[in-house]
């Protein structure tokens, strides 16, 4: 991979080309080109309001784009219907707010989509859910309800729930921002393990330590535009633009 952060040869799993998005008069994504190769971890950085969440929401089509194209494995992401449901199954998303179903157990939260969308037999869905709970360090919490868990535990359940659909791509939008400091590490650890196992991930985070350790590339978004993509080392040590230098100065001061 070059220092400028071009993905090295491998075919992109996710590709955004020339993506534009407006909210009314606000132009929130501007000619965005971004590729995430299979097995790659790309961390999306940028100030508040720069369009990071919007970009994620366009990728799993919670939002529509105005122009440009987003493809998954070369196939444009579908607008609606059964094809869209299939896309959603392939693209897992983990949000800042864990969005677990409060009245359901941890196990039920994880098995719901595999049962309903993938129509897995209950036994298989539950066996897989227990495997995933074990993987995120929560084997003993299957019968608990979300309110009985800490924030960090709830977020790990949310990750297990996303993994239960066997996604090809995982989107994370500030997964640790709502957590108390002592719980951030346990969630980042699960994410780092996934990255090391070869999961393809697009991650919005303000955790610069994670970005440096786990990212293959960093993309810096400023006012809806990707100003830089680079390896973490290149980006953190030699940011190419004034905007990125400002951003880093602010965020690293905290
Ligand atoms: N549903 C919406 N309707 C109108 N404007 C929106 C909507 N969602 C986002 N915006 C605007 O689009 C711009 C990009 O917002 P977005 O949430 O993508 O930024 P962000 O980089 O995720 O910020 P943060 O770091 O605060 O989460 C902002 O100016 C925001 O006010
Ligand atoms: Mg956001």
């Amino acid at each position: 991979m070059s220092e400028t952060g071009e993905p090295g040869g491998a075919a992109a799993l996710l590709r955004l080309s020339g993506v534009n998005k407006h909210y009314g008069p606000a132009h929130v994504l501007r000619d965005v080109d971004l590729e995430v190769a299979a097995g790659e971890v790309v961390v999306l950085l940028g100030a508040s309001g720069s369009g990071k969440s919007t970009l994620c929401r366009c990728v799993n089509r919670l939002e529509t784009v105005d122009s440009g194209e987003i493809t998954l494995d070369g196939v444009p992401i579908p607008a609606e219907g059964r094809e869209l449901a299939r896309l959603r199954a392939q693209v897992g998303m983990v949000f800042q707010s864990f969005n677990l179903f409060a009245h359901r157990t941890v196990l039920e939260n994880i098995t719901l989509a595999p049962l309903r969308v993938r129509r897995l037999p209950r036994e298989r869905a539950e066996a897989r859910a227990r495997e995933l709970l074990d993987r995120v360090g929560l084997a003993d919490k299957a019968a608990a309800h979300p309110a009985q868990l800490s924030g960090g535990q709830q977020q790990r359940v949310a990750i297990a729930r996303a993994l239960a659909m066997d996604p090809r791509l995982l989107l994370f939008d500030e997964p640790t921002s709502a957590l108390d400091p002592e719980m951030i590490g346990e969630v980042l650890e699960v994410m780092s393990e996934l990255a090391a196992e070869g999961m393809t991930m697009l991650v919005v985070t303000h955790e610069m330590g994670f970005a440096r350790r786990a990212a293959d590339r960093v993309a810096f978004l400023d006012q809806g535009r990707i100003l830089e993509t680079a390896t973490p080392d290149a980006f953190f040590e030699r940011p190419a633009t004034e905007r990125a230098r400002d951003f880093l100065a602010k965020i690293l001061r905290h």
Side-chain angles (χ1 to χ4, degrees):
M1 194 198 309
S2 74
E3 190 167 89
T4 52
E6 295 305 317
L13 177 64
L14 174 69
R15 174 178 286 132
L16 289 82
S17 30
V19 167
N20 283 279
K21 167 79 185 167
H22 296 77
Y23 286 117
H27 195 174
V28 296
L29 294 178
R30 298 167 183 255
D31 300 323
V32 168
D33 296 325
L34 182 67
E35 290 189 2
V36 185
E40 198 182 22
V41 177
V42 173
V43 166
L44 196 55
L45 299 177
S48 180
S50 58
K52 305 178 299 293
S53 295
T54 305
L55 192 156
C56 289
R57 292 169 61 81
C58 287
V59 168
N60 69 355
R61 217 171 184 297
L62 292 171
E63 293 286 352
T64 56
V65 303
D66 300 332
S67 64
E69 193 176 56
I70 304 178
T71 58
L72 193 70
D73 215 4
V75 180
I77 62 169
E80 55 194 10
R82 204 181 289 168
E83 292 301 315
L84 180 58
R86 199 169 300 155
L87 169 90
R88 292 261 166 77
Q90 293 185 1
V91 180
M93 182 140 179
V94 176
F95 301 89
Q96 178 175 335
S97 53
F98 327 120
N99 296 337
L100 297 175
F101 295 110
H103 58 290
R104 292 182 182 270
T105 66
V106 162
L107 195 76
E108 287 166 351
N109 266 279
I110 299 172
T111 54
L112 200 62
L115 289 173
R116 287 203 183 154
V117 180
R118 298 185 71 194
R119 306 206 174 278
L120 285 191
R122 178 170 298 278
E123 255 176 50
R124 262 185 62 198
E126 291 189 352
R128 172 89 173 119
R130 289 183 192 281
E131 212 177 279
L132 290 168
L133 275 176
D134 189 37
R135 186 158 156 196
V136 299
L138 295 173
D140 56 337
K141 299 293 185 192
H145 280 78
Q148 297 169 304
L149 304 182
S150 73
Q153 291 171 334
Q154 290 185 57
Q155 193 59 303
R156 284 185 282 150
V157 172
I159 293 172
R161 180 176 60 175
L163 290 171
M165 294 296 277
D166 290 323
R168 303 184 66 190
L169 169 71
L170 272 185
L171 303 171
F172 291 86
D173 189 1
E174 302 201 29
T176 60
S177 295
L179 299 178
D180 292 335
E182 69 268 26
M183 291 166 195
I184 291 175
E186 67 195 36
V187 171
L188 293 178
E189 196 175 312
V190 167
M191 291 168 63
S192 299
E193 282 166 18
L194 289 174
E197 288 163 19
M199 176 62 74
T200 310
M201 295 164 50
L202 180 61
V203 182
V204 177
T205 184
H206 294 297
E207 294 296 329
M208 297 299 139
F210 174 82
R212 284 200 88 137
R213 279 194 315 276
D216 295 300
R217 284 186 303 137
V218 166
F220 175 64
L221 202 57
D222 181 64
Q223 299 178 349
R225 215 181 273 285
I226 295 199
L227 288 193
E228 300 187 32
T229 58
T231 61
D233 282 351
F235 181 76
F236 287 105
E237 279 157 35
R238 298 175 295 283
T241 60
E242 193 61 44
R243 306 286 301 186
R245 282 193 285 276
D246 281 354
F247 170 79
L248 286 174
K250 284 195 190 100
I251 204 152
L252 295 175
R253 214 180 296 141
H254 286 293

